[in-house]
Amino acid sequence: MNKIKKIINEFNYIKVKDFLQIFVFLFSIPISLIYRLVNGRKKEIWLVCEDEKEARDNGYCFFKYLNNEHPEILSYYAINYKTKDYDKVKKIGRTVRYGSLKHWVLYFNAKYNISSQKAGKPNAAICYVLEVYGIIKSKSIFLQHGITINKATWLFYENTKIRLFVCGAKPEYEYVKQEFNYPKENVKYLGFCRFDDYHNITVNKNQILLIPSWREWLTVKNEYSKKYEVDNDFTKTEYYKKYQELLNNEQLQNLLEEKNLIIYFYPHRNMQKYIDKFSTKSDRIKIVNNQNSEIRDLLIESAVMITDYSSVGMDFAYMKKPVIYYQFDEKKFREAQYQKGYFDYRKSGLGQVCNNCDEIVKLVENLYLTNFEITEQFKKAHKKFFELYDNKNNERIFNAIREIWKT
């Protein structure tokens, strides 16, 4: 009875747009049974996805690997057909429209449901209830969107029932294994799929990437929205003011001009809706829309990164390139968004922390004078953090998935 009550309670969180999906889900059940009877287990289905509107992350990289190295596998990539990334996925392999009846049928019949997102399912709310409460057996392979560095309670085993949690760094693996309550065999340090592309790269020594993370209280109205912000005007928020100040900092603009440097400002996808609010008078600072630029290319090409708390800094550190963390609102961030985990930005050795624009300008200038080279301390920290440093990440993940149902 308690389980039934919990399930009913979870359905309270389903949004209006999810109700149509409930009908699609119910209609897909008999069709899935017929599909299984007709096709049996003649060929395994590997269902891959990321966010509904994207193909740029670990899911996309793994889908490319499957189609290039294991074309014998019946794999599908779920994506919204109206998005920009759809055409490039279609050229690689089979696709299915995200949330469609066919997506549901494949979801029920797939041997592996592989995603870089915890919510990488035909419908996150419905599938959460189905998997977490044991109505169906979870077949989720979690490739992750970024290295977990915070105490992410929503990723605890009781909230996911993930069958394979792929880690991209050794300390992350130890932390997840110890703190997130997963069965020992469900967590493995294998490296990230996209890390295969981070070797033998060409770096533009004149390019800097400014890529701040999001703020949940600015994108989703909650108790902290009222606590931290006076009204609904984004241009009055601390986040906007601080980055607008940096984009228009005179010392920074003079440094860019003098040293022939360019900054690409690329806010988190959840903050892209505010992109038109930002402005700068410098032609050496480019404000980037995610529809026109690939984050992968910016990460690979740039010589130095300025971020805040984003795990994308781990990608940059993996490539052995310097990272600056601009943390002007750390107290807010820890209270309202992510609790601190095992990673200490100030002690990690994988980057330097700043609290104001002047510190950033000084650090960028010093890095320029040393040709953006990393320190010996960074090299030692890198070796401990990324024990696996090669282009065999997809291969390891593929083999680990294969081993799951052998044991």
Side-chain angles (χ1 to χ4, degrees):
M1 287 296 293
N2 287 334
K3 180 179 282 192
I4 294 174
K5 287 181 180 179
K6 286 182 179 180
I7 293 173
I8 293 172
N9 181 61
E10 293 296 342
F11 272 102
N12 290 330
Y13 293 97
I14 294 178
K15 300 176 182 178
V16 174
K17 67 178 183 179
D18 295 322
F19 280 102
L20 176 60
Q21 277 292 303
I22 292 176
F23 290 109
V24 179
F25 150 66
L26 293 172
F27 188 56
S28 72
I29 294 174
I31 297 177
S32 297
L33 292 173
I34 294 171
Y35 180 93
R36 185 168 299 186
L37 287 172
V38 173
N39 291 281
R41 293 293 181 183
K42 293 178 182 178
K43 206 165 188 180
E44 296 176 355
I45 296 171
W46 292 41
L47 183 57
V48 186
C49 75
E50 294 175 356
D51 180 82
E52 176 184 353
K53 298 177 181 179
E54 291 186 357
R56 306 180 179 192
D57 204 343
N58 288 318
Y60 173 65
C61 292
F62 190 67
F63 187 65
K64 282 197 301 182
Y65 171 82
L66 280 179
N67 281 272
N68 290 334
E69 303 298 328
H70 297 280
E72 75 281 1
I73 289 176
L74 185 60
S75 61
Y76 289 87
Y77 192 95
I79 188 170
N80 186 316
Y81 282 6
K82 294 181 180 180
T83 60
K84 181 179 178 180
D85 291 345
Y86 169 68
D87 287 337
K88 73 176 184 180
V89 178
K90 187 179 179 182
K91 292 176 183 177
I92 294 171
R94 303 173 190 85
T95 63
V96 59
R97 185 166 59 82
Y98 207 104
S100 65
L101 177 62
K102 184 176 180 180
H103 191 187
W104 276 106
V105 172
L106 291 174
Y107 167 76
F108 282 122
N109 285 279
K111 188 165 187 178
Y112 311 99
N113 186 67
I114 306 163
S115 179
S116 61
Q117 305 290 326
K118 175 196 170 188
K121 315 286 170 62
N123 180 273
I126 298 172
C127 294
Y128 174 87
V129 172
L130 294 175
E131 295 181 12
V132 171
Y133 291 102
I135 298 172
I136 65 172
K137 185 177 180 181
S138 173
K139 299 171 284 187
S140 296
I141 311 298
F142 185 41
L143 301 178
Q144 288 210 76
H145 169 58
I147 289 175
T148 298
I149 54 180
N150 300 298
K151 188 178 179 181
T153 55
W154 63 93
L155 290 179
F156 283 13
Y157 183 64
E158 57 267 27
N159 297 322
T160 70
K161 292 299 189 289
I162 288 169
R163 185 59 186 84
L164 176 60
F165 192 122
V166 176
C167 293
K170 186 62 182 296
E172 174 202 30
Y173 163 70
E174 299 292 351
Y175 181 67
V176 172
K177 186 173 63 171
Q178 180 177 338
E179 301 291 338
F180 285 28
N181 306 321
Y182 283 86
K184 184 179 179 181
E185 66 275 10
N186 287 35
V187 183
K188 294 186 183 297
Y189 175 33
L190 304 168
F192 280 176
C193 303
R194 63 177 181 260
F195 285 0
D196 282 356
D197 296 332
Y198 290 168
H199 298 266
N200 301 316
I201 60 175
T202 301
V203 178
N204 180 353
K205 292 291 185 176
N206 299 97
Q207 183 170 309
I208 298 169
L209 179 58
L210 173 58
I211 182 168
S213 188
W214 65 306
R215 300 297 187 272
E216 186 174 17
W217 64 89
L218 297 180
T219 58
V220 179
K221 296 304 175 184
N222 56 30
E223 59 180 306
Y224 297 106
S225 303
K226 295 179 181 179
K227 180 177 180 178
Y228 293 146
E229 313 304 340
V230 293
D231 53 36
N232 294 324
D233 187 350
F234 177 72
T235 62
K236 293 182 180 179
T237 65
E238 183 183 24
Y239 181 95
Y240 171 80
K241 290 177 181 178
K242 289 293 185 180
Y243 282 108
Q244 186 67 7
E245 177 189 6
L246 182 58
L247 294 174
N248 291 280
N249 182 276
E250 188 175 348
Q251 285 181 294
L252 178 61
Q253 292 180 357
N254 290 339
L255 178 65
L256 298 178
E257 192 69 38
E258 181 185 339
K259 306 301 183 185
N260 190 30
L261 301 172
I262 293 178
I263 287 181
Y264 285 88
F265 177 52
Y266 188 103
H268 188 279
R269 67 185 179 192
N270 291 346
M271 306 301 286
Q272 283 279 326
K273 62 182 179 180
Y274 300 119
I275 195 78
D276 294 335
K277 302 290 185 182
F278 294 98
S279 63
T280 179
K281 294 180 180 179
S282 173
D283 59 2
R284 292 192 168 274
I285 299 178
K286 313 295 182 183
I287 300 175
V288 182
N289 186 307
N290 66 347
Q291 292 301 306
N292 301 322
S293 298
E294 287 269 3
I295 187 173
R296 171 191 174 278
D297 297 334
L298 292 172
L299 285 170
I300 290 173
E301 294 166 1
S302 300
V304 62
M305 171 188 285
I306 304 169
T307 185
D308 45 16
Y309 315 96
S310 177
S311 63
V312 75
M314 303 297 102
D315 284 59
F316 217 73
Y318 180 88
M319 289 184 274
K320 299 182 179 180
K321 297 192 289 186
V323 184
I324 298 171
Y325 293 102
Y326 182 30
Q327 299 182 345
F328 56 84
D329 61 349
E330 184 176 7
K331 186 177 179 180
K332 283 184 182 179
F333 189 80
R334 289 303 178 201
E335 181 184 4
Q337 193 153 326
Y338 295 142
Q339 295 180 51
K340 185 177 179 180
Y342 65 93
F343 188 78
D344 191 313
Y345 293 94
R346 290 171 175 81
K347 298 178 181 179
S348 69
L350 295 175
Q352 299 182 73
V353 177
C354 291
N355 298 113
N356 57 62
C357 295
D358 291 341
E359 291 178 355
I360 291 175
V361 174
K362 187 174 181 179
L363 270 178
V364 170
E365 184 173 17
N366 289 340
L367 286 168
Y368 173 82
L369 294 174
T370 58
N371 199 31
F372 300 108
E373 293 295 327
I374 56 174
T375 63
E376 287 301 317
Q377 180 189 18
F378 190 110
K379 292 177 183 177
K380 290 179 182 178
H382 184 282
K383 193 172 183 179
K384 290 181 179 179
F385 203 81
F386 299 109
E387 285 189 4
L388 296 175
Y389 184 70
D390 56 31
N391 60 356
K392 302 293 183 183
N393 300 281
N394 280 290
E395 182 180 328
R396 277 191 294 271
I397 292 169
F398 176 82
N399 291 333
I401 292 173
R402 274 293 200 207
E403 287 298 316
I404 289 175
W405 276 270
K406 287 184 180 179
T407 57

